[in-house]
Amino acid sequence: MDQLKKILATPAARSTAFYYLGNFAVSGGRYLFHILLLRLLLPSEYGEFLAYLSLLYILGIPNATVNSIVVKFVSDFRGKNDRRSVNEFFYYLIEKLTPLSLFLGVTLIILSGPLSVALKARPTAFIILGASLFISLLSTVIKSYLLAFQHLVAQIVIGFIEILFILGLAYVFITLGLSATGAVLAQILAGIIGVIISFWVIKKEVLPAILKTKRSFSLRSFTGYSLIYAVGSISLLSTDVLLARYFLTEHLSGIYSSLAVIGRTIYFGLGPLIGLVLPIASHRHSLSGTARSVFLKLGGVILILGIIATGIFVLFPNLVISFVSGANYLEAAGYLPLFAITMLLFSLNLFLINYLMAIGRPRVNLNLLIATLAQPLLILFFHQSLGQIVWLNLVLEVGLLISLIPRLP
């Protein structure tokens, strides 16, 4: 007990606890947004919104790659007290990534018509999503700097501000008749506000710009594996929703979407801790050559909290569905225990991959790539019912966990 109190009394433990609890509250606010939509929209309309959101996640794969790169390299620069590289790296990324974000945005706008037919949705929302991609890229770079510099309080405050704007704007837009498109627009506008505030916090790190010489950074090796991580972590959360929207009826796709959002509460609740693994372990490994204590402490907390949350969903599925979604979505209750276990395993898998990346073993992402490629192929053959999609996701996560454990040092 004395040893536990000593650990909890350290500044790192206190800041980590604050960050987690604050992010948990922010995640709760984001969850209120989905509850609001579940209450205001019919299952078919909510399925449409989550299809938009899932597509946005997939298009954001380059941004997720950037997040891992920024956190890893800026954390290393901090460990070496290399402030010049911190500054130059910011503008290097913006210059290299702007053409890609513009290309993806224009492509999405051009394909808005065919996508609206395939996903049974409105083309206007795809046009809005395409226009927002550059803002999304800028947001990723800036907020990754926040995380790398461990501005934990600022992240929490900005998260709360975004939530307030999302809830207010979504309610207004949906009331005005914009339906799922209004929910998408609310998220984008709130994100722009968050970017402005975040840049103000990190401005002393990146202003004034040091551009006297053209600086190049060697990112190729880590970038490739970071891209695989981004593809895998995002695709495993989004591809099933998009394919369910395509293969199942509009009503059943809405039921699956509600199941996905509720079950993924486990991952989103643990996400803040998983997000700390890469910067903290990278920084610790850069300083001392080992990060085992980070693995044990953060891993233990993630496992305990994940088991508690999963246990609630497994024991009280009907109560959870009724409270969060309402009677229209009770069909999902029978599958919630399986989905909850899947999300716990998914969270543990991402924790292990982040830790191995932090200590210089990024090749482990190849295991994630195999699972990512397998998911759509399995759904292509097994989509006759909602239950088949739920079960195959569980089998994938079990297999991925079994493949990762032998890679630990």
Side-chain angles (χ1 to χ4, degrees):
M1 182 61 71
D2 291 339
Q3 183 66 22
L4 178 61
K5 290 180 179 179
K6 184 177 179 181
I7 292 173
L8 294 176
T10 63
R14 288 198 300 269
S15 62
T16 300
F18 173 81
Y19 178 77
Y20 175 73
L21 293 174
N23 262 287
F24 190 82
V26 171
S27 297
R30 295 188 186 281
Y31 206 63
L32 284 177
F33 171 61
H34 285 279
I35 293 175
L36 177 68
L37 298 186
L38 287 167
R39 298 291 181 175
L40 294 177
L41 302 176
L42 296 172
S44 59
E45 294 174 324
Y46 184 73
E48 178 185 345
F49 167 73
L50 209 64
Y52 293 145
L53 198 60
S54 298
L55 181 61
L56 186 60
Y57 287 155
I58 290 175
L59 290 172
I61 284 174
N63 294 349
T65 306
V66 170
N67 178 74
S68 296
I69 292 171
V70 171
V71 171
K72 169 65 175 174
F73 280 85
V74 174
S75 295
D76 287 345
F77 295 151
R78 285 185 62 231
K80 300 171 183 176
N81 198 29
D82 186 357
R83 298 179 64 85
R84 182 184 180 89
S85 292
V86 168
N87 182 290
E88 293 180 333
F89 195 51
F90 181 85
Y91 298 98
Y92 174 83
L93 289 172
I94 297 297
E95 178 186 350
K96 295 295 183 183
L97 295 170
T98 295
L100 175 61
S101 65
L102 292 176
F103 170 76
L104 291 175
V106 171
T107 301
L108 184 58
I109 292 172
I110 292 173
L111 296 178
S112 59
L115 285 171
S116 67
V117 175
L119 298 176
K120 310 177 185 75
R122 296 172 178 81
T124 306
F126 295 110
I127 295 173
I128 294 172
L129 291 176
S132 72
L133 282 179
F134 178 71
I135 297 297
S136 177
L137 165 70
L138 193 61
S139 174
T140 299
V141 174
I142 292 173
K143 291 185 177 180
S144 297
Y145 264 71
L146 275 180
L147 182 58
F149 275 89
Q150 298 180 35
H151 290 305
L152 306 184
V153 175
Q155 283 186 286
I156 302 304
V157 173
I158 293 168
F160 276 116
I161 292 173
E162 288 187 2
I163 287 299
L164 291 176
F165 276 97
I166 288 174
L167 292 173
L169 292 173
Y171 182 81
V172 171
F173 291 155
I174 293 174
T175 303
L176 291 175
L178 294 179
S179 187
T181 303
V184 172
L185 184 58
Q187 283 199 310
I188 292 170
L189 293 177
I192 292 174
I193 294 170
V195 169
I196 294 171
I197 300 173
S198 298
F199 184 77
W200 183 83
V201 175
I202 69 161
K203 64 180 181 179
K204 67 178 182 180
E205 310 295 346
V206 299
L207 293 178
I210 302 175
L211 300 174
K212 294 181 180 179
T213 58
K214 203 75 172 179
R215 177 79 178 274
S216 180
F217 293 86
S218 180
L219 308 177
R220 186 170 300 175
S221 177
F222 190 82
T223 298
Y225 291 118
S226 296
L227 178 61
I228 294 174
Y229 175 81
V231 170
S233 59
I234 292 174
S235 180
L236 288 174
L237 279 179
S238 306
T239 301
D240 57 334
V241 174
L242 290 172
L243 292 179
R245 182 71 179 175
Y246 181 79
F247 285 119
L248 302 178
T249 65
E250 291 184 20
H251 174 76
L252 280 180
S253 73
I255 297 298
Y256 186 83
S257 295
S258 69
L259 173 69
V261 166
I262 296 171
R264 288 167 187 171
T265 306
I266 295 169
Y267 167 65
F268 293 134
L270 298 174
L273 290 176
I274 296 172
L276 286 175
V277 175
L278 190 58
I280 294 178
S282 294
H283 187 62
R284 186 72 57 83
H285 193 262
S286 176
L287 289 174
S288 63
T290 180
R292 185 173 179 80
S293 62
V294 176
F295 174 78
L296 294 176
K297 292 174 184 177
L298 279 179
V301 173
I302 289 171
L303 181 61
I304 292 171
L305 293 177
I307 290 175
I308 293 172
T310 303
I312 294 173
F313 286 5
V314 169
L315 294 174
F316 310 106
N318 285 282
L319 179 62
V320 172
I321 294 290
S322 298
F323 176 75
V324 175
S325 306
N328 289 334
Y329 297 88
L330 278 175
E331 293 175 59
Y335 303 103
L336 185 57
L338 294 174
F339 209 99
I341 295 171
T342 300
M343 286 298 99
L344 173 61
L345 296 176
F346 176 75
S347 301
L348 294 176
N349 286 334
L350 292 192
F351 164 72
L352 293 177
I353 293 171
N354 271 276
Y355 174 73
L356 289 166
M357 289 175 68
I359 63 173
R361 301 188 179 190
R363 285 180 60 86
V364 72
N365 281 288
L366 296 177
N367 299 52
L368 179 62
L369 178 61
I370 293 172
T372 302
L373 296 175
Q375 186 192 48
L377 291 176
L378 289 173
I379 294 177
L380 183 64
F381 290 103
F382 301 101
H383 58 260
Q384 284 71 32
S385 69
L386 186 152
Q388 285 186 346
I389 300 177
V390 172
W391 270 105
L392 70 86
N393 280 329
L394 176 59
V395 171
L396 275 176
E397 295 301 334
V398 170
L400 180 57
L401 180 62
I402 292 173
S403 73
L404 291 177
I405 291 176
R407 299 295 188 94
L408 292 172

